Amino acid sequence: MLYRRLVAVAMLGVLPSLMPSLLPAQAATRSPQPLLVTIDWLAGHLRDPRVVVIHAASNRAEYDAGHVPGARFVAFNAYAISQDGLSSQMAPVAQLDSLLEGVGVNDGDHVVIYGQPLSVARLLVTMDYLGLKGSVSVLDGGVDAWREGGKTLSRESGTAARGTFTPHVDASIIVDAPWVSANSSRRGIALLDARAPEFYLGYSPGQMPRAGHIPNARNVPFSSLTGELTQLREQPKLSRLFAAAGVMPGDTVVTYCHIGMQASLLYFAARRAGFDARIYDGSFEEWSKQSDLPVVNESQKKP
């Protein structure tokens, strides 16, 4: 009996050290939420206390004009900031933590986001960065599909008690210029430019210091990713777009654009097509400012 008690006491000291290794394995067995949900699915889960619906847009006017009942508004500038001369950069983790708790997000919740496509895609990147991949879904077609489907719109502000959210940052979601420079030619890495062809090819610099694209990058314009009602194209269509750009099964897709917004939509599409995705947050805005970094200008090549 005394021996059994001693063993039990000893195990109490051992268990805490074992728990960190056990908990991730247990969490990993939970089924991830789908990347996309339909309007019918959401309509059937609006009263679920563990489903948090977020309307993402650049300003509140669109939200006030009519939104999914109970949806909480999140402004774009609350999760994307300008810093160090660059636009639309990832906000500090403390700011993002406070933002999500402020709209009632708790650990373990299923978050459904919709709104302006680029704002939604950027919020998805942000959620993935905070460690929420597998807990966040996008409403396919957004409020347009909701309206077209005959669902009720609300003009009442969605409110909720402050949540308790714990970030688990996945820093690998964001890559920087040195990473791109070192890895863009590596086998298994597909660097994709989400800008329109005129910018990718170098016929127009836009508002960038130099025109052209990052070496080894291939072009998948963000405008090719959506169809009617801003719905992301079906997975087979997206897979064909990526294949046409030379992306191979199993590749890691790294996206960029002017300032990271169009790249966010391409990141979303890459995830939809089943690829492991990353985003170069500084994008061509950062790359083109650094004269020591090479730029390919197709428009200047001789026929």
Side-chain angles (χ1 to χ4, degrees):
M1 181 67 71
L2 177 60
Y3 174 76
R4 290 180 181 178
R5 288 179 180 176
L6 289 173
V7 170
V9 170
M11 287 302 294
L12 287 176
V14 172
L15 283 174
S17 65
L18 291 177
M19 287 180 67
S21 62
L22 289 174
L23 289 177
Q26 292 169 350
T29 62
R30 292 192 310 175
S31 298
Q33 302 294 347
L35 184 58
L36 289 173
V37 295
T38 66
I39 59 172
D40 289 333
W41 183 95
L42 183 56
H45 289 79
L46 286 182
R47 296 186 181 276
D48 187 336
R50 302 312 304 268
V51 173
V52 177
V53 185
I54 293 178
H55 184 124
S58 57
N59 60 71
R60 195 180 176 93
E62 176 191 297
Y63 174 81
D64 289 340
H67 52 265
V68 173
R72 299 122 197 215
F73 173 71
V74 169
F76 169 75
N77 61 10
Y79 54 90
I81 63 173
S82 296
Q83 63 179 4
D84 301 326
L86 298 176
S87 311
S88 303
Q89 300 299 288
M90 188 69 67
V93 172
Q95 177 177 328
L96 298 172
D97 183 8
S98 179
L99 170 68
L100 294 186
E101 289 188 341
V103 293
V105 176
N106 291 283
D107 291 330
D109 281 350
H110 179 190
V111 181
V112 178
I113 57 179
Y114 75 93
Q116 297 169 352
L118 294 182
S119 296
V120 167
R122 185 63 192 187
L123 185 55
L124 177 67
V125 172
T126 303
M127 297 286 202
D128 286 357
Y129 173 74
L130 291 174
L132 286 171
K133 185 182 291 185
S135 297
V136 180
S137 302
V138 175
L139 178 61
D140 198 16
V143 73
D144 291 336
W146 186 267
R147 183 186 299 108
E148 291 290 327
K151 308 299 184 185
T152 301
L153 289 171
S154 173
R155 289 184 172 82
E156 296 181 4
S157 295
T159 58
R162 188 172 185 85
T164 302
F165 170 69
T166 308
H168 297 282
V169 173
D170 181 359
S172 69
I173 295 296
I174 308 293
V175 303
D176 57 15
W179 190 98
V180 172
S181 183
N183 291 280
S184 63
S185 61
R186 187 162 62 86
R187 184 183 179 88
I189 300 295
L191 181 62
L192 300 182
D193 188 321
R195 298 174 298 164
E198 64 181 291
F199 302 112
Y200 170 80
L201 295 172
Y203 288 102
S204 171
Q207 299 179 355
M208 302 296 126
R210 292 184 287 169
H213 62 82
I214 299 174
N216 302 306
R218 287 153 281 181
N219 192 209
V220 180
F222 81 101
S223 59
S224 67
L225 304 175
T226 56
E228 294 182 0
L229 300 177
T230 66
Q231 288 174 305
L232 202 63
R233 296 192 185 280
E234 294 294 329
Q235 186 171 342
K237 173 63 175 178
L238 293 174
S239 296
R240 289 194 293 271
L241 288 173
F242 285 110
V247 184
M248 303 294 292
D251 280 355
T252 294
V253 172
V254 180
T255 69
Y256 79 92
C257 59
H258 299 285
I259 62 173
M261 292 299 293
Q262 297 166 357
S264 297
L265 188 60
L266 186 53
Y267 169 99
F268 176 22
R271 281 203 55 204
R272 168 69 167 153
F275 293 101
D276 182 25
R278 303 284 186 268
I279 183 170
Y280 171 26
D281 210 16
S283 280
F284 203 65
E285 182 179 36
E286 179 183 52
W287 189 275
S288 64
K289 287 179 178 179
Q290 301 185 33
S291 59
D292 60 319
L293 295 176
V295 168
V296 177
N297 191 325
E298 306 282 356
S299 70
Q300 296 178 351
K301 292 183 178 180
K302 295 181 179 180

